Structures are given as structure tokens and as C-alpha cells.
Amino acid sequence: QVQLVESGGGLVQAGGSLRLSCATSGRSFVSVAWFRRDPGPESEFVAAVEWNDGRTLYADSVKGRFTISRDNAKNTVYLEMNNLKSEHTAVYYCAAGVVFARSPLVYTYWGQGTQVTVSS
């Protein structure tokens, strides 16, 4: 059974940075992605990393600002977020699945989420 635990969220001023972590257990997945939800049910894709070869995908809105990476030895995926703005305020979720893609529909396992709040 795959389990995902996010950490690293919090309150930060606009222009600041945060690094989110997603600790994984179980290895029945190929990719790990970050999604976010502001108030509402829709999950917005942020970034994904292919576990074995390190390929990455980003939403256009975060390219050059956010960086996803993985540490295979620690079974952890990171999301480095820089120059944050108020519109980045959301609950951020990591998700794992057997397809390397942007759609939340292909991710089977989800963490509980971590709140990121950017104050202006």
C-alpha cells in the first residue's frame, strides 16, 4: 500500500519561498505529482516527476518559479516554490500513480495535503 505524507506548508510573505516535501512509502507507482486546490473541488496540476528517470512536467503558470525533484534514497519528492504570490495560496497535495501525466484522474494515491498561504 502506498502512503504519502506532505509537509512544509505554512504562511509566507509574497516574494518568499517554501519547500514542500512528500514522503512516500510503498513502491507501486511510477510518478509523483503535486496538485493544488484553492477553495473548490478542482485539483490543479502543478508539477510531476517520473520516479525512475527523473523526467519532469510543469504547469505553464509555475515554470521558472517552482522546481520538482526527488530523492530516491529518501523516497521523498520535493516542490521548491520561489517568489510566491497570493494566487499560490492553496492546499497542496502530492499524488502517486502508474502514469506520468498531468491529469489528476491517473493518480491513485493521494496525501492529506498541506496548506500554503501567501500574504501580500
Side-chain angles (χ1 to χ4, degrees):
Q1 182 70 18
V2 175
Q3 291 186 323
L4 307 171
V5 179
E6 303 98 332
S7 60
L11 175 64
V12 63
Q13 289 188 334
S17 298
L18 281 176
R19 188 176 79 159
L20 306 183
S21 299
C22 175
T24 72
S25 62
R27 278 306 321 275
S28 301
F29 58 87
V30 169
S31 65
V32 176
W34 287 96
F35 292 85
R36 62 187 177 200
R37 295 178 195 159
D38 49 19
E42 298 287 327
S43 294
E44 179 186 3
F45 173 76
V46 176
V49 62
E50 207 281 354
W51 190 263
N52 295 312
D53 61 23
R55 286 177 293 154
T56 57
L57 289 171
Y58 291 96
D60 288 344
S61 60
V62 305
K63 282 181 181 177
R65 190 188 300 270
F66 291 6
T67 303
I68 190 171
S69 61
R70 90 259 192 246
D71 185 329
N72 294 50
K74 295 182 178 180
N75 294 319
T76 300
V77 172
Y78 303 100
L79 184 68
E80 184 77 33
M81 306 186 294
N82 297 314
N83 192 18
L84 286 162
K85 298 182 177 181
S86 57
E87 55 259 40
H88 297 128
T89 294
V91 179
Y92 285 72
Y93 297 84
C94 69
V98 296
V99 178
F100 178 54
R102 300 170 187 266
S103 171
L105 299 177
V106 305
Y107 290 90
T108 305
Y109 307 100
W110 291 77
Q112 82 286 352
T114 186
Q115 176 71 48
V116 171
T117 303
V118 183
S119 64
S120 56

